[in-house]
Amino acid sequence: MKVRIGIEGFAIDSAHYTLSSPGNAQLHGHTYVISVEIEGQVDPSSGFVMDFEILRKTVSEVVKEWDHKLIVPAKDIDKIRVEAPFQMEIKKINAPFATAEYIGTEIAKEVYQRLGNKYKVNIKIYEGKDSYAEIDYP
Amino acid sequence: MKVRIGIEGFAIDSAHYTLSSPGNAQLHGHTYVISVEIEGQVDPSSGFVMDFEILRKTVSEVVKEWDHKLIVPAKDIDKIRVEAPFQMEIKKINAPFATAEYIGTEIAKEVYQRLGNKYKVNIKIYEGKDSYAEIDYP
Amino acid sequence: MKVRIGIEGFAIDSAHYTLSSPGNAQLHGHTYVISVEIEGQVDPSSGFVMDFEILRKTVSEVVKEWDHKLIVPAKDIDKIRVEAPFQMEIKKINAPFATAEYIGTEIAKEVYQRLGNKYKVNIKIYEGKDSYAEIDYP
């Protein structure tokens, strides 16, 4: 029997823009709120699909890389130059746009890989208070 | 890869009755809280399954028709006559009962049709604080 | 068309330990927060998959048996002896560990059986504030 385990309460506070959406070409940001599920068998030698602590540690490591960044699609990287008194670290996303759909897919892929390509991963990522994308990976 | 996008936070404050349920033949009402998901492919020319704004506008238009109404099954329409100082607009539902199951199904169908019959729609509709029906349409 | 109905807001305040997890061999407890979904057809003679009240009553009866107990795997039952001024009722679980995965599976099975083995049951059980297991039974 398949069981899913999930952890909630992750957030990344990052800046982005979406050239394909009217009004969102303007640089802005979100507290993206993220939850993660994995699906697997319960291991009878532990009682777990996976120890929550291990899943939480793995997701934390992935998510940290996306936090407090300006998320920029690969194709735009060379077009951005900023001189300013603040810090602005860029996180490149290998996708045409830094939308919730693509950010969520990248995070799902990274969690999937760090867990050894063994568990189906589901990511729910809120962009704003009540809009989200949900990705089953792979 | 299939991705779902969802929007939350819709509500309709409507009256209904359910003749099939003891205690619910009494006219009463609910704040039905509604969320909507659609499933589709991410369009690489936009980064979206669908712009959240478009989905939100579509769902708002559908939901508005059900708000602040008395929801009445088609078969009962001719049996109701009210004289009173308040307004009482009736919303006919083409189903035998105005239950969360059927209201949700109707809303799902209307969202599905307004979006061009192209996206699988999931509706979650709360009747009361912690009871809900969830419909995958079609 | 399949419809799911769900009810939320159940909780059991019970003690457990998990010998397979470092740090959790220590006796401790949780407010396990539980929600339940069943899947079925909408009955046109009632408008319901099942009356929420009936589902709520059934789940309440199942959950009550797990509340305010020390949940102990069958294999450990004979190894526990306590003399103390408090009451300590043991709830035996027929699984190797009293993890959220197994507790949720047992509760799902009991709800499934009390409903006549007719409805697919989904249980979501939180262990702590933001970690959960989710079981589809059977």
Side-chain angles (χ1 to χ4, degrees):
Chain A
M1 198 179 60
K2 291 286 178 57
V3 170
R4 291 181 293 284
I5 62 164
I7 49 176
E8 302 174 339
F10 298 92
I12 57 176
D13 298 296
S14 291
H16 86 146
Y17 57 89
T18 308
L19 299 182
S20 57
S21 175
N24 288 306
Q26 168 70 34
L27 180 71
H28 60 288
H30 301 281
T31 296
Y32 295 91
V33 174
I34 297 166
S35 57
V36 179
E37 273 185 10
I38 63 165
E39 183 179 296
Q41 305 286 343
V42 180
D43 177 351
S45 74
S46 68
F48 299 134
V49 172
M50 177 183 298
D51 193 326
F52 287 129
E53 302 304 320
I54 295 171
L55 180 57
R56 189 167 290 280
K57 185 169 174 293
T58 303
V59 175
S60 294
E61 288 168 3
V62 168
V63 159
K64 189 181 59 188
E65 300 296 316
W66 295 84
D67 186 29
H68 280 73
K69 303 282 166 67
L70 168 60
I71 305 173
V72 175
K75 68 176 163 39
D76 293 354
I77 288 278
D78 293 337
K79 300 175 191 160
I80 297 175
R81 198 163 55 83
V82 172
E83 284 178 47
F86 52 79
Q87 296 177 36
M88 195 196 78
E89 196 175 339
I90 286 178
K91 168 69 176 171
K92 184 174 75 173
I93 181 167
N94 289 314
F97 298 95
T99 55
E101 286 90 331
Y102 282 133
I103 296 170
T105 301
E106 286 299 301
I107 290 173
K109 184 172 74 179
E110 292 173 15
V111 171
Y112 176 75
Q113 291 172 345
R114 285 202 190 211
L115 295 175
N117 305 339
K118 284 190 296 192
Y119 301 91
K120 277 182 62 177
V121 173
N122 172 282
I123 297 277
K124 189 171 184 179
I125 177 169
Y126 279 82
E127 181 178 300
K129 190 172 63 71
D130 43 22
S131 303
Y132 62 86
E134 190 170 355
I135 296 104
D136 292 313
Y137 192 92
Chain B
M1 197 179 61
K2 291 285 177 57
V3 170
R4 291 181 294 284
I5 63 164
I7 49 176
E8 302 173 339
F10 297 92
I12 56 175
D13 298 295
S14 292
H16 86 147
Y17 58 87
T18 307
L19 299 182
S20 57
S21 177
N24 288 304
Q26 168 70 34
L27 180 71
H28 61 287
H30 301 281
T31 296
Y32 294 91
V33 174
I34 296 166
S35 57
V36 179
E37 273 186 11
I38 63 165
E39 183 178 297
Q41 305 287 343
V42 181
D43 177 351
S45 74
S46 67
F48 299 133
V49 172
M50 177 183 298
D51 193 326
F52 286 128
E53 302 304 320
I54 295 171
L55 180 56
R56 189 167 291 280
K57 186 170 174 293
T58 303
V59 174
S60 294
E61 288 167 3
V62 168
V63 159
K64 190 181 57 188
E65 300 296 316
W66 294 84
D67 187 29
H68 279 73
K69 302 281 165 67
L70 169 61
I71 305 174
V72 175
K75 67 176 163 42
D76 292 354
I77 288 279
D78 294 336
K79 300 175 191 162
I80 297 175
R81 197 162 56 83
V82 172
E83 283 178 49
F86 51 79
Q87 297 177 35
M88 195 197 78
E89 195 174 342
I90 285 177
K91 168 70 177 171
K92 184 174 74 174
I93 182 167
N94 289 314
F97 298 96
T99 55
E101 286 90 331
Y102 281 132
I103 296 171
T105 301
E106 286 299 300
I107 290 174
K109 185 172 73 178
E110 291 173 16
V111 171
Y112 176 76
Q113 290 172 346
R114 285 201 191 213
L115 296 175
N117 304 341
K118 284 190 298 192
Y119 301 90
K120 276 182 63 176
V121 172
N122 172 282
I123 297 277
K124 189 171 185 179
I125 177 168
Y126 279 81
E127 181 177 300
K129 189 171 64 69
D130 43 22
S131 303
Y132 62 86
E134 191 170 356
I135 295 104
D136 292 313
Y137 191 93
Chain C
M1 197 179 61
K2 291 285 178 57
V3 170
R4 291 182 294 284
I5 63 163
I7 49 175
E8 301 174 340
F10 298 92
I12 56 175
D13 298 296
S14 293
H16 85 148
Y17 57 89
T18 307
L19 299 182
S20 57
S21 175
N24 289 305
Q26 168 70 34
L27 180 71
H28 61 288
H30 301 280
T31 296
Y32 295 91
V33 175
I34 297 167
S35 57
V36 179
E37 272 186 12
I38 62 165
E39 183 179 296
Q41 305 286 344
V42 181
D43 177 351
S45 74
S46 67
F48 298 134
V49 172
M50 177 183 298
D51 193 326
F52 286 128
E53 302 304 320
I54 295 170
L55 180 56
R56 189 167 292 279
K57 185 169 175 294
T58 303
V59 175
S60 294
E61 288 168 3
V62 168
V63 159
K64 189 181 58 187
E65 300 295 317
W66 295 84
D67 187 30
H68 280 73
K69 303 282 165 68
L70 169 60
I71 305 173
V72 175
K75 67 176 162 43
D76 292 354
I77 287 279
D78 294 337
K79 300 175 192 161
I80 297 176
R81 197 163 56 84
V82 172
E83 285 177 47
F86 51 79
Q87 297 177 35
M88 194 196 79
E89 196 174 340
I90 285 179
K91 168 71 176 171
K92 184 175 74 173
I93 181 166
N94 289 314
F97 298 95
T99 55
E101 285 90 332
Y102 282 132
I103 296 171
T105 301
E106 286 299 301
I107 290 174
K109 185 173 74 180
E110 292 172 14
V111 171
Y112 175 75
Q113 291 172 346
R114 284 202 191 212
L115 295 176
N117 305 340
K118 285 190 298 192
Y119 301 91
K120 277 182 63 177
V121 172
N122 172 282
I123 297 276
K124 189 171 185 179
I125 177 168
Y126 279 81
E127 181 178 299
K129 188 171 64 70
D130 43 23
S131 302
Y132 62 86
E134 190 171 355
I135 295 103
D136 292 314
Y137 191 92

